[in-house]
Amino acid sequence: MHISEKIKFIRTKILNVSAQKFADMCGVIARTVYAWESGVSLPCLDNIVAIANTCHASLDYLLIDDHEFELCFPNLDDETFKCISHLSNKMKEENERRK
């Protein structure tokens, strides 16, 4: 998946927000988000970092075409980590059942 597809996936499937809301979260305008998602333009490195921070995605996921989605949560306590891991495993199981 190319970065344009990943940005749209993050916005629509992970965060479930409008282009305007996502633009506000990343510090750009909605037209910029549409340009990224359509492949008309690519985000600069500062914007890629903003996108990663906004959705807690790894930079590797955004920058490497075939890299799987990874969540990044620095300073995460053990209890929260366990909850997120459990949720992630359930989502993987559900995705496998749908295939």
Side-chain angles (χ1 to χ4, degrees):
M1 192 181 318
H2 187 64
I3 191 169
S4 60
E5 298 166 302
K6 291 178 181 184
I7 292 170
K8 188 167 187 172
F9 173 77
I10 287 168
R11 180 179 69 78
T12 61
K13 303 296 183 189
I14 303 288
L15 299 175
N16 193 28
V17 296
S18 68
Q20 182 60 59
K21 177 68 174 169
F22 188 72
D24 293 343
M25 295 166 78
C26 294
V28 297
I29 61 174
R31 190 174 348 175
T32 301
V33 172
Y34 289 125
W36 294 342
E37 291 179 354
S38 66
V40 170
S41 68
L42 293 172
C44 68
L45 186 56
D46 287 343
N47 289 337
I48 292 171
V49 170
I51 293 165
N53 288 336
T54 296
C55 66
H56 301 285
S58 71
L59 289 172
D60 286 348
Y61 169 71
L62 290 169
L63 296 171
I64 301 170
D65 281 350
D66 293 330
H67 203 280
E68 291 187 21
F69 184 75
E70 294 176 325
L71 292 172
C72 295
F73 293 100
N75 307 322
L76 195 64
D77 63 69
D78 288 343
E79 184 68 26
T80 306
F81 176 78
K82 288 177 187 176
C83 290
I84 291 171
S85 293
H86 179 72
L87 178 61
S88 175
N89 288 335
K90 290 293 185 187
M91 291 174 70
K92 285 179 185 177
E93 290 172 10
E94 180 65 26
N95 285 338
E96 287 300 317
R97 271 190 277 153
R98 290 183 180 177
K99 289 181 181 179

